[in-house]
Amino acid sequence: MEAFDVLGDPVRRRILELLAGGERAAGDVGAMVQAEFRLTQPAVSRHLRVLRESGFARMRPAGQRRLYAIETAGLEHAEGWLADLRAQWSQRLDALETEIRRGRRKT
């Protein structure tokens, strides 16, 4: 799954917001997301799995609990893609600015 497919889902974005505050138990994340989005526990588990498999979150077992935290790999991939896009648009906008200035000088 592509990074922006993952980030395009409001439930997964909310889970990442929760994890941005630090490591959380899957049950805590599930309870918050279930209340906000009216999801079942299996649905929340699927979202957590997508985040794990796409490199946005990591899980570590702690006894009976599963603790989730943000994984930087997915975020770095998305950030790199945006940086490439920004660089392409910056070049195009610089070229447009040059052409506009040339047009002003001719008039």
Side-chain angles (χ1 to χ4, degrees):
M1 186 174 277
E2 292 291 323
F4 287 97
D5 292 332
V6 174
L7 296 173
D9 186 279
V11 174
R12 290 190 287 264
R13 284 195 312 269
R14 179 63 179 133
I15 292 171
L16 288 173
E17 288 171 358
L18 293 170
L19 297 179
E23 190 174 63
R24 291 184 178 259
D28 295 342
V29 171
M32 290 181 202
V33 172
Q34 284 174 297
E36 288 181 39
F37 292 93
R38 296 180 177 237
L39 295 176
T40 64
Q41 186 276 326
V44 175
S45 292
R46 284 190 295 273
H47 284 291
L48 286 168
R49 186 184 75 234
V50 167
L51 289 170
R52 244 187 5 258
E53 291 176 352
S54 61
F56 282 90
R58 67 179 180 277
M59 184 274 299
R60 71 176 180 87
Q64 294 288 333
R65 298 171 27 161
R66 301 292 178 252
L67 300 177
Y68 279 82
I70 285 193
E71 179 63 56
T72 60
L75 296 172
E76 288 169 353
H77 176 74
E79 188 176 12
W81 185 85
L82 286 171
D84 291 344
L85 184 64
R86 189 178 305 115
Q88 291 175 17
W89 274 103
S90 292
Q91 290 172 352
R92 292 178 180 153
L93 292 173
D94 290 346
L96 177 61
E97 181 181 20
T98 299
E99 291 303 316
I100 290 171
R101 287 183 180 173
R102 284 181 186 162
R104 287 183 182 158
R105 278 186 265 180
K106 289 180 182 179
T107 57

